Amino acid sequence: MASVSYHISSLLEKMTSTDKDFRFMATNDLMMELQKDSIKLDEDSEKKVVKMLLKLLEDKNGEVQNLAVKCLGPLVGKVKEYQVETIVDTLCTNMLSDKEQLRDISSIGLKTVIAELPPAATGSTMTANVCKKITAQLTGAIGKQEDVSVQLEALDILSDMLSRLGGTLYSFHSNILTCLLPQLMSPRLAVRKRAIIALGHLVLTCSGSIFSELTEHLLAELKRNESTSTTRTYIQCVAGISRQAGHRIGEHLEKIIPLIVQYCNVDDDELREYCFQAFESFVRRCPKEMDPHISSVMGLCLKYITFDPNYNYDNEEEEEEMMETENGEDEEQESDDEYSDDDDISWKVRRAAAKCLEAIVSSRHDLLQDFYRTLSPALISRFKEREENVKADIFNAYISLLKQTLPTQSWLHSSGASGKDDVPLTMLQNQVPNIIKALHKQLKEKSIKSRQGCFSLLTELASVLPGCLTDHIPALIPGIVFSLADKSSSSNMRIDTLSFLHVLLCNHQPEVFHPHVKALLPSVVTCIGDPFYKITSEALLVTQQLVKVIRPLDKAYTFDAKPYVKDLFPGILKRLKAADIDQEVKERAISCMGQIIYNLGDHLSTDLQPTLKIFLERLKNEITRLTTVKALTLIAGSPLKIDLRPIIGEGLPILASFLRKNQRALKLSTLNALDILVKNYSDSLKPAMIEAVLTELPVLITENDMHVSQVTITFLTTLAKVYPSCISKISGSVLAEIFQLVHSPLLQGGALNAIIDFFQALVLTKTAAMGYPELVKQLTAPVYSSGSAGASLTLHKQAYHSIAKCVAALSSACPKEAPATVNQFVQDVKSPKSGPAVQVLAFLFLAEVGRTTNLSAQRELRTVILEAFSSPSEEVKSAASYALGNVSVGNLKEYLPFMLKEIGSQPKRQYLLLHSLKEVISCSPADSLTPYVEDIWALLFKHCECTEEGTRNVVAECLGKLTLVNPAELLPRLRKQLSAGSPHARSTVVTAIKFTITDQPQPIDALLKGCIGDFLQTLQDPDLNVRRVALALFNSAAHNKPSLIRDLLNSVLPSLYNETKVRRELIREVEMGPFKHTVDDGLDVRKAAFECMYTLLESCLDRLDIYDYLNHVEDGLKDHYDIRMLTFIMLARLSVLCPNAVLQRLERLIEPLRATCSTKVKAGSVKQEFEKQDELKRSAMRAVAALLTIPEVEKSPAMAEFSSQIRSSPEMASLFESIQKDSASLPTSESMDMS
């Protein structure tokens, strides 16, 4: 401690030296000391240091002054509060001094101090006290000052303070307001501007009453309209406030808009510009409140986007025609000069109007058709705008319109969605010729900016409507070539042109370009040789696409590609050979050359082999190996049968070594490459090469990575077919791994199918050391080894299905052996010694075989299955029911009538028999079922009022799947049943409809779309259970086929929202011994309703009134535990999807979150209660973390207060940190799947 104070006092002594260098160095050393965290100053040193630094602020030498100011920052955190107050007082007094230099340095000092003050959230009182001191002095300075520069500095510092510490100055807000409002009338524009900025920061944190006072004042002044100049300022101020705190100005818009509309008609260009800027910020910040005004604002924008009083566009058309006859470059120059009118600022009005239109387009997806009717032609007609900046904004507005038109994810609208959603696309298609007419001349203009604008617009157009430019290619090519070849083009210009060309080539048919290859190719090849790597890289991408166009291999074209090979090849070869170029260029050169060999390999003659040798070199290099493997895979699959013999010998061992590498993408690509090589080049591969690859394979088959296992097994299947002899050598080690995989609970889908194919290949090629009996024995070993002792299943349920599928596949591959195996399994089931595990496997096997073959030879099968229905084991029962269903599929004639009879006569076995029926309906082809439809239908309707809900669900599933057999006839019948029957029957019918909806396109879709509305009417059913299943139907439709319900939302949403309300009449008290327990019967329905709301967010967001939606989310935040968990997840999703709306409601949404995060569980509660609360808090905290990612959320006072509360409570802070860590480790945003 002593040494520090000694060191500092020696520095202070040097600071008094007459030599400025001494003073400079000493101040610099002090700065270094202050920046150390460990430094502690005693009271005496503090005083001296502060006094010295304040004195140095008046030093004659500027550099010393600057350093002294910098020292104030670190000093603030190191000295006591009263010292900070001394510093601030001195600085504020200096601000008012007569010396300009001192004033400047003091204002920098104040800003430094404000930036270093600890935020109020840390709980220190220092910040509050210091701010009060500064504010009092500054408001005085702003009010009284005659000197403008002091006013400007003071306003600047005040803005700084309000933006960082607005909440701390709460008590001063009204004084600040009173001090700022008169400044809006100041004669100096700069003062007005800074006052507006300060007000913008003030409205973020001020109370409602102060905000109202401010808006009232602005409205009054706007109405008074003293002079155009002040009106401009007030409109700027309104726009400024709306940009900063748009969600607060919403309720005042009704009064503000008419005034601003009226000022648009005043003949003052600057005023108009500010009006449009205000409109733009309203549209972006208060979409809901702007709704009624959109059409009038749009009308104004369209009127003023053409507002160019000093320029006549009409005679331009005539001039152009004249100019085309004689080359009129010089005339054009003159005509530009005539109009050079420096005082003309009408372009600002046009620009503001264009920006406002862009805001309207990007926020109102629902008005798309109107936009294409009115706005699109108007914008296209303005593409001829003469002012570059304005033109750029008009292009942006149009690009925004195209982006809105981009069809939503295709899976949502796969079928039956055409119609309403395609109208904008059709309208756009009709306007394409006008767009091209307006743009194609501009592609040759001198101005780079407008050419770039054209290309980005055209790129967007080609992506939104693939193929739409087919007829206009001849008009575009000259422009493309001009921009690529033009000496004056910037590199960005060339990159933009190339990326447009790439999109164009990808989205149009090859033959469209054939007439233009000659014109295009030279300039693209020149770009490949460009010294700037980004241009080269784009050009290689274009060339790769161009090669596919020059010679498409899918069908025959008359176009001859041969003459172009010699132009293309050398340039790319040069890039492929170069080792000292950018990584991206290397990779693209490899891919591009791969494409050339794939499409044009037969034209390369002697160049082919040297090029392949280069590929071999690239394989050996770690950086380029992955790209090269992909390129070789492409080449090996070429229909031109490229000769790869020279490199296979050396290349295969390298590929084999890649299978040992850790890089997953490399393993997968290598397996694909090997697979294709073995298929297409089997005669060039020697057994020794294959064996080198084989030794690497067993390790890759593991349940830790199913996809790699699947690709490996697919490759093994190829090998088994092409090189049966090699497989036999390693079949032992590979099979051991595969058996392990079959018995894994994770095996399903693609990997399982790959294993089945492999087993079939093995027995068909008769290669493996193991024949059919041995394979079956190994597969079933774990099941039989468990013996009959255990009553439970030893393996996971999934494993039994996998084993059954594999054995069934083997027996279908060996028809001679199959009957014996079937017999064996039937005996297993009959034998009293078999444990449940063996029986389950036997039934699943019989199901797999029975589905495809007629098992009528097995006389006792039916009796065996029915006996198993009374087995004590549930697993055996369900396996037997599954078997009965599938065996019936293979032999409908015999089994189905029997099954229907049994369902009618055996009430005890009904549930299992219905499950069998469900299998029959799901797996049988429609035409074979047709004769039985009527009988099944009648039977099902007998059981649709069953009191047992489980049975009703199976009946419903049978009905739904049966309806798919003949929708045109059966769907209307279901619809009729809605009005008839008991609540149970209605709920069964509604659930049946749920099973007709799948995520794939189906013939029933069009019919469903017509009548799903009737089924959704049951959302208003008096019966609670019917409403619940109706919500489940709605959720399923919204999730799997949103197109069915998109147009019904207006009528369905009120019923949906109605179900989110808590119903008092459904809450009852149950006495359990001495305790009273409340049961809420309405909870399930509410939960279902909130789940539907969540699903709608993903699929129909554009059709929701988000503010109405938020009202119900808000109620859910205060509901039961389950529903709060749901709404927290919804809130997190909403903060990503529509942050602005959430911002407007922040105050109301934060309260329930705060309440959840700060609840305490009663001390004596059970463990579950603690866990439940803990989970709830975590979920709430996740929602908070999501809210904090919204831009500008920190400006909300409620949020700032809550985050400081989180930081100051150790429990909440640690929870928040752990959530931050979790979310950092998750690759994607958390999403809840509730299909």
Side-chain angles (χ1 to χ4, degrees):
M1 181 87 181
S3 63
V4 172
S5 47
Y6 173 72
H7 179 50
I8 285 191
S9 57
S10 73
L11 287 178
L12 292 174
E13 207 167 299
K14 284 184 190 155
M15 288 183 190
T16 54
S17 154
T18 47
D19 184 340
K20 65 171 192 290
D21 291 341
F22 267 126
R23 295 200 303 273
F24 180 82
M25 287 315 295
T27 318
N28 198 28
D29 292 345
L30 178 67
M31 172 98 162
M32 292 302 167
E33 283 298 321
L34 288 173
Q35 279 171 341
K36 290 180 191 160
D37 284 340
S38 54
I39 184 172
K40 297 265 189 301
L41 294 173
D42 53 31
E43 199 140 337
D44 194 38
S45 306
E46 274 187 22
K47 235 187 218 143
K48 286 181 183 163
V49 170
V50 169
K51 193 171 167 194
M52 196 67 221
L53 282 176
L54 290 173
K55 187 173 156 210
L56 287 179
L57 286 180
E58 303 182 38
D59 196 281
K60 292 186 191 65
N61 180 287
E63 287 178 336
V64 176
Q65 275 184 329
N66 286 343
L67 262 184
V69 164
K70 280 188 187 152
C71 286
L72 290 176
L75 188 66
V76 170
K78 304 277 189 299
V79 296
K80 302 208 170 40
E81 189 178 319
Y82 70 91
Q83 295 290 4
V84 181
E85 292 187 19
T86 316
I87 297 178
V88 168
D89 274 342
T90 318
L91 290 174
C92 285
T93 323
N94 287 352
M95 280 254 331
L96 308 177
S97 119
D98 305 334
K99 297 187 200 145
E100 189 172 348
Q101 196 179 6
L102 184 58
R103 277 201 316 251
D104 287 351
I105 208 87
S106 306
S107 72
I108 296 173
L110 272 174
K111 283 182 187 163
T112 314
V113 170
I114 290 171
E116 286 300 326
L117 285 175
T122 51
S124 89
T125 54
M126 169 164 98
T127 305
N129 297 337
V130 172
C131 284
K132 284 173 186 163
K133 266 207 154 31
I134 301 182
T135 311
Q137 301 249 22
L138 288 182
T139 44
I142 293 169
K144 290 199 287 289
Q145 234 355 281
E146 282 75 61
D147 187 343
V148 175
S149 61
V150 174
Q151 263 186 325
L152 288 176
E153 284 298 348
L155 282 166
D156 214 13
I157 294 168
L158 189 61
S159 293
D160 235 25
M161 203 154 59
L162 282 169
S163 72
R164 255 200 95 232
L165 311 157
T168 325
L169 302 175
Y170 207 71
S171 49
F172 279 92
H173 281 172
S174 63
N175 301 1
I176 296 178
L177 186 67
T178 346
C179 142
L180 287 175
L181 288 177
Q183 303 309 319
L184 294 174
M185 311 278 284
S186 155
R188 293 292 298 271
L189 285 180
V191 173
R192 295 186 198 179
K193 258 203 178 113
R194 293 214 181 161
I196 291 175
I197 294 170
L199 281 169
H201 290 305
L202 173 69
V203 290
L204 280 169
T205 49
C206 69
S207 66
S209 56
I210 286 181
F211 189 80
S212 302
E213 189 184 329
L214 168 64
T215 31
E216 291 306 318
H217 175 84
L218 292 175
L219 277 166
E221 289 296 334
L222 278 175
K223 281 184 185 136
R224 263 181 49 203
N225 183 18
E226 246 173 46
S227 67
T228 318
S229 155
T230 54
T231 306
R232 273 186 219 151
T233 304
Y234 285 117
I235 287 181
Q236 263 183 305
C237 185
V238 171
I241 291 170
S242 141
R243 262 189 292 276
Q244 290 288 359
H247 51 282
R248 300 185 72 167
I249 206 165
E251 58 218 54
H252 303 279
L253 278 188
E254 278 307 312
K255 299 180 197 146
I256 299 176
I257 301 257
L259 288 169
I260 300 189
V261 168
Q262 163 197 330
Y263 285 123
C264 278
N265 302 322
V266 176
D267 193 15
D268 176 323
D269 288 350
E270 256 183 280
L271 180 59
R272 281 187 189 131
E273 181 193 7
Y274 298 148
C275 288
F276 282 120
Q277 283 170 351
F279 284 144
E280 182 192 352
S281 82
F282 295 153
V283 170
R284 286 195 194 283
R285 301 309 235 123
C286 329
K288 179 156 194 204
E289 291 84 349
M290 272 305 283
D291 195 31
H293 308 287
I294 286 281
S295 57
S296 57
V297 171
M298 214 164 99
L300 283 168
C301 290
L302 290 175
K303 175 177 167 191
Y304 282 104
I305 199 168
T306 59
F307 171 72
D308 201 352
N310 305 330
Y311 190 77
N312 186 0
Y313 284 96
D314 297 338
N315 57 14
E316 209 176 77
E317 306 283 324
E318 297 152 26
E319 253 178 59
E320 265 182 30
E321 281 160 25
M322 279 164 47
M323 272 161 36
E324 276 165 17
T325 50
E326 47 183 292
N327 194 349
E329 288 288 313
D330 322 330
E331 277 183 44
E332 213 176 330
Q333 297 293 235
E334 288 164 30
S335 68
D336 268 3
D337 296 341
E338 281 173 39
Y339 294 114
S340 102
D341 181 357
D342 293 338
D343 309 330
D344 174 23
I345 54 165
S346 64
W347 65 274
K348 287 188 172 177
V349 181
R350 298 198 298 281
R351 187 180 62 179
K355 283 190 164 163
C356 182
L357 280 175
E358 201 263 330
I360 293 176
V361 168
S362 55
S363 61
R364 295 303 303 264
H365 184 75
D366 48 332
L367 299 176
L368 209 49
Q369 294 192 27
D370 301 348
F371 292 156
Y372 272 110
R373 222 166 281 127
T374 53
L375 198 148
S376 171
L379 284 174
I380 294 174
S381 69
R382 290 304 304 163
F383 287 168
K384 61 185 178 194
E385 170 64 56
R386 63 200 173 99
E387 192 60 55
E388 262 192 18
N389 295 332
V390 185
K391 187 186 282 188
D393 281 309
I394 290 175
F395 282 158
N396 281 341
Y398 205 83
I399 289 172
S400 204
L401 178 62
L402 290 171
K403 283 195 171 129
Q404 290 290 324
T405 320
L406 205 60
T408 15
Q409 296 119 311
S410 49
W411 60 270
L412 288 177
H413 302 282
S414 46
S415 77
S418 56
K420 193 158 181 194
D421 291 348
D422 293 350
V423 176
L425 285 174
T426 326
M427 295 168 94
L428 172 61
Q429 181 73 57
N430 298 336
Q431 295 180 14
V432 170
N434 301 347
I435 298 179
I436 303 298
K437 188 175 171 215
L439 292 184
H440 78 99
K441 291 229 175 69
Q442 301 191 23
L443 291 178
K444 287 196 163 179
E445 271 186 14
K446 285 201 179 62
S447 146
I448 285 185
K449 195 171 174 186
S450 70
R451 269 189 290 165
Q452 274 179 311
C454 292
F455 279 126
S456 47
L457 194 149
L458 288 167
T459 309
E460 197 62 49
L461 181 63
S463 322
V464 173
L465 259 186
C468 68
L469 297 174
T470 305
D471 308 340
H472 308 287
I473 303 277
L476 296 173
I477 296 289
I480 296 175
V481 175
F482 173 73
S483 274
L484 290 179
D486 180 27
K487 292 287 176 286
S488 63
S489 284
S490 64
S491 48
N492 278 351
M493 179 71 248
R494 287 200 184 131
I495 292 170
D496 284 356
T497 312
L498 286 166
S499 63
F500 165 60
L501 184 53
H502 184 243
V503 172
L504 195 66
L505 291 167
C506 291
N507 284 335
H508 291 75
Q509 289 302 317
E511 60 270 22
V512 185
F513 298 100
H514 288 162
H516 309 287
V517 171
K518 197 169 182 177
L520 271 177
L521 204 60
S523 48
V524 176
V525 172
T526 318
C527 287
I528 296 178
D530 197 277
F532 182 39
Y533 75 96
K534 281 194 168 167
I535 295 183
T536 309
S537 149
E538 272 302 317
L540 285 166
L541 208 58
V542 169
T543 312
Q544 191 174 344
Q545 201 54 39
L546 199 57
V547 172
K548 295 184 198 171
V549 165
I550 293 179
R551 188 180 185 194
L553 297 174
D554 50 355
K555 49 181 194 246
Y557 290 96
T558 49
F559 183 73
D560 178 22
K562 194 155 191 195
Y564 299 105
V565 178
K566 59 179 192 306
D567 303 338
L568 264 176
F569 186 76
I572 297 169
L573 186 64
K574 186 178 165 207
R575 287 300 183 194
L576 183 66
K577 280 180 176 165
D580 53 347
I581 44 171
D582 186 80
Q583 165 78 11
E584 192 181 2
V585 177
K586 274 187 196 170
E587 290 182 358
R588 285 189 174 170
I590 294 171
S591 309
C592 187
M593 187 55 92
Q595 194 70 52
I596 288 186
I597 298 178
Y598 175 87
N599 287 67
L600 303 164
D602 49 352
H603 293 329
L604 293 178
S605 59
T606 53
D607 288 327
L608 180 61
Q609 293 316 324
T611 313
L612 289 173
K613 284 278 188 284
I614 301 176
F615 273 123
L616 207 50
E617 289 309 306
R618 297 288 170 265
L619 255 192
K620 296 173 187 164
N621 179 337
E622 191 174 335
I623 298 172
T624 52
R625 62 188 181 193
L626 180 60
T627 319
T628 314
V629 171
K630 287 181 176 166
L632 284 174
T633 313
L634 182 73
I635 295 172
S638 167
L640 303 174
K641 300 273 178 281
I642 308 296
D643 179 15
L644 290 180
R645 276 176 311 201
I647 63 162
I648 281 186
E650 203 180 329
L652 214 64
I654 301 177
L655 287 174
S657 70
F658 289 167
L659 296 175
R660 265 176 261 150
K661 301 283 186 267
N662 248 346
Q663 192 184 353
R664 185 164 180 267
L666 182 65
K667 275 188 214 170
L668 287 168
S669 300
T670 305
L671 284 166
N672 285 332
L674 288 168
D675 192 45
I676 268 235
L677 283 170
V678 168
K679 274 184 186 147
N680 294 349
Y681 294 88
S682 50
D683 44 359
S684 330
L685 299 176
K686 302 201 171 54
M689 296 184 198
I690 300 283
E691 278 161 30
V693 174
L694 279 174
T695 48
E696 307 293 341
L697 296 178
V699 194
L700 297 178
I701 303 172
T702 146
E703 67 175 8
N704 298 335
D705 190 331
M706 279 298 178
H707 188 55
V708 170
S709 305
Q710 179 184 335
V711 179
T712 309
I713 294 169
T714 311
F715 173 48
L716 277 167
T717 313
T718 308
L719 280 175
K721 288 175 184 162
V722 182
Y723 294 107
S725 52
C726 291
I727 284 279
S728 54
K729 295 189 182 164
I730 63 134
S731 62
S733 50
V734 166
L735 283 171
E737 295 298 337
I738 290 185
F739 290 139
Q740 196 85 41
L741 205 54
V742 173
H743 301 144
S744 148
L746 305 175
L747 181 69
Q748 56 173 4
L752 177 58
N753 294 337
I755 290 182
I756 289 175
D757 290 344
F758 177 61
F759 280 145
Q760 288 185 319
L762 275 190
V763 288
L764 288 174
T765 51
K766 303 202 170 32
T767 49
M770 295 188 182
Y772 173 84
E774 186 59 20
L775 283 173
V776 173
K777 190 172 164 207
Q778 288 284 350
L779 278 169
T780 54
V783 180
Y784 282 106
S785 61
S786 66
S788 56
S792 64
L793 303 187
T794 42
L795 291 172
H796 188 275
K797 205 164 153 193
Q798 181 62 39
Y800 288 94
H801 282 276
S802 307
I803 297 172
K805 284 202 165 96
C806 291
V807 178
L810 281 171
S811 62
S812 75
C814 304
K816 289 199 184 99
E817 316 271 353
T821 315
V822 174
N823 268 331
Q824 169 65 42
F825 277 116
V826 174
Q827 294 312 317
D828 280 344
V829 176
K830 276 168 63 182
S831 145
K833 291 200 191 92
S834 315
V838 176
Q839 289 182 320
V840 167
L841 176 63
F843 279 132
L844 293 176
F845 166 76
L846 290 168
E848 293 299 327
V849 175
R851 192 179 310 137
T852 48
T853 48
N854 184 338
L855 289 183
S856 49
Q858 294 289 339
R859 291 270 158 252
E860 46 196 358
L861 188 56
R862 192 189 300 176
T863 12
V864 170
I865 292 179
L866 287 179
E867 271 169 21
F869 277 13
S870 41
S871 154
S873 154
E874 284 301 320
E875 279 93 358
V876 174
K877 280 195 224 172
S878 85
S881 124
Y882 179 72
L884 178 62
N886 281 291
V887 169
S888 310
V889 174
N891 186 358
L892 280 179
K893 247 197 343 279
E894 196 174 314
Y895 274 87
L896 193 56
F898 160 73
M899 193 189 294
L900 297 176
K901 188 173 109 244
E902 285 286 308
I903 292 177
S905 60
Q906 298 276 357
K908 273 198 180 145
R909 297 179 178 171
Q910 201 175 39
Y911 181 68
L912 292 168
L913 287 161
L914 282 167
H915 266 291
S916 305
L917 182 60
K918 180 188 83 183
E919 289 297 325
V920 174
I921 298 174
S922 312
C923 304
S924 303
D927 44 358
S928 60
L929 265 183
T930 317
Y932 306 102
V933 168
E934 291 303 325
D935 302 342
I936 302 179
W937 189 266
L939 178 80
L940 288 173
F941 263 105
K942 272 193 201 129
H943 294 288
C944 73
E945 300 195 13
C946 175
T947 46
E948 193 62 44
E949 185 171 4
T951 309
R952 281 206 313 275
N953 281 341
V954 186
V955 170
E957 190 170 345
C958 291
L959 275 172
K961 297 200 164 148
L962 193 59
T963 308
L964 294 172
V965 175
N966 181 359
E969 193 178 314
L970 300 178
L971 195 59
R973 287 199 207 170
L974 278 179
R975 192 163 152 190
K976 262 203 209 108
Q977 287 294 331
L978 271 181
S979 46
S982 62
H984 280 338
R986 287 200 300 277
S987 73
T988 308
V989 169
V990 174
T991 312
I993 293 295
K994 185 176 91 175
F995 286 107
T996 61
I997 299 172
T998 53
D999 50 3
Q1000 269 18 57
Q1002 292 268 15
I1004 194 172
D1005 294 345
L1007 300 165
L1008 253 184
K1009 195 167 183 177
C1011 67
I1012 196 164
D1014 301 335
F1015 293 103
L1016 289 176
Q1017 286 286 305
T1018 51
L1019 284 171
Q1020 297 157 1
D1021 198 278
D1023 183 80
L1024 190 66
N1025 193 34
V1026 177
R1027 293 205 298 275
R1028 184 175 57 85
V1029 296
L1031 285 165
L1033 161 66
F1034 184 56
N1035 192 11
S1036 169
H1039 185 79
N1040 296 315
K1041 278 220 177 82
S1043 54
L1044 292 175
I1045 52 147
R1046 284 172 78 81
D1047 303 335
L1048 299 171
L1049 283 180
N1050 290 343
S1051 56
V1052 177
L1053 280 177
S1055 320
L1056 171 65
Y1057 290 152
N1058 200 22
E1059 292 307 320
T1060 61
K1061 297 192 176 70
V1062 180
R1063 305 251 162 100
R1064 292 272 161 256
E1065 69 271 16
L1066 294 174
I1067 298 177
R1068 54 201 166 89
E1069 279 202 342
V1070 181
E1071 291 193 4
M1072 295 174 120
F1075 303 108
K1076 283 193 172 165
H1077 184 63
T1078 49
V1079 177
D1080 181 354
D1081 292 329
L1083 179 62
D1084 281 350
V1085 173
R1086 286 209 303 287
K1087 215 160 128 188
F1090 277 106
E1091 284 175 4
C1092 288
M1093 284 173 62
Y1094 182 83
T1095 309
L1096 286 175
L1097 271 190
E1098 298 301 323
S1099 55
C1100 304
L1101 182 65
D1102 53 334
R1103 297 290 175 94
L1104 298 175
D1105 172 351
I1106 208 69
Y1107 297 95
D1108 197 10
Y1109 184 96
L1110 275 168
N1111 290 339
H1112 299 284
V1113 172
E1114 222 175 290
D1115 297 338
L1117 290 170
K1118 310 181 186 104
D1119 202 329
H1120 180 273
Y1121 165 82
D1122 291 350
I1123 287 172
R1124 287 210 310 240
M1125 291 291 279
L1126 257 174
T1127 43
F1128 291 149
I1129 296 175
M1130 285 159 79
L1131 198 54
R1133 197 74 195 104
L1134 280 161
S1135 7
V1136 180
L1137 293 172
C1138 33
N1140 284 344
V1142 176
L1143 258 187
Q1144 289 196 26
R1145 290 295 176 80
L1146 211 50
E1147 275 78 8
R1148 283 149 55 183
L1149 294 169
I1150 280 178
E1151 251 340 286
L1153 287 173
R1154 181 194 316 233
T1156 304
C1157 288
S1158 42
T1159 41
K1160 296 270 183 282
V1161 187
K1162 287 189 200 131
S1165 303
V1166 288
K1167 181 168 168 249
Q1168 283 94 327
E1169 194 54 41
F1170 279 104
E1171 285 172 357
K1172 215 165 157 183
Q1173 278 305 327
D1174 201 43
E1175 200 36 59
L1176 199 56
K1177 282 183 186 170
R1178 282 189 79 78
S1179 191
M1181 206 49 103
R1182 275 193 205 100
V1184 176
L1187 287 174
L1188 285 170
T1189 57
I1190 299 179
E1192 301 189 354
V1193 74
E1194 67 286 348
K1195 293 177 177 170
S1196 141
M1199 194 71 202
E1201 192 186 333
F1202 185 27
S1203 11
S1204 69
Q1205 187 182 340
I1206 292 175
R1207 276 196 296 266
S1208 55
S1209 136
E1211 185 196 353
M1212 285 206 258
S1214 68
L1215 182 63
F1216 186 68
E1217 272 166 33
S1218 76
I1219 292 238
Q1220 295 283 49
K1221 279 195 196 105
D1222 290 353
S1223 62
S1225 63
L1226 280 177
T1228 51
S1229 66
E1230 155 188 41
S1231 171
M1232 172 173 70
D1233 189 17
M1234 296 182 316
S1235 46

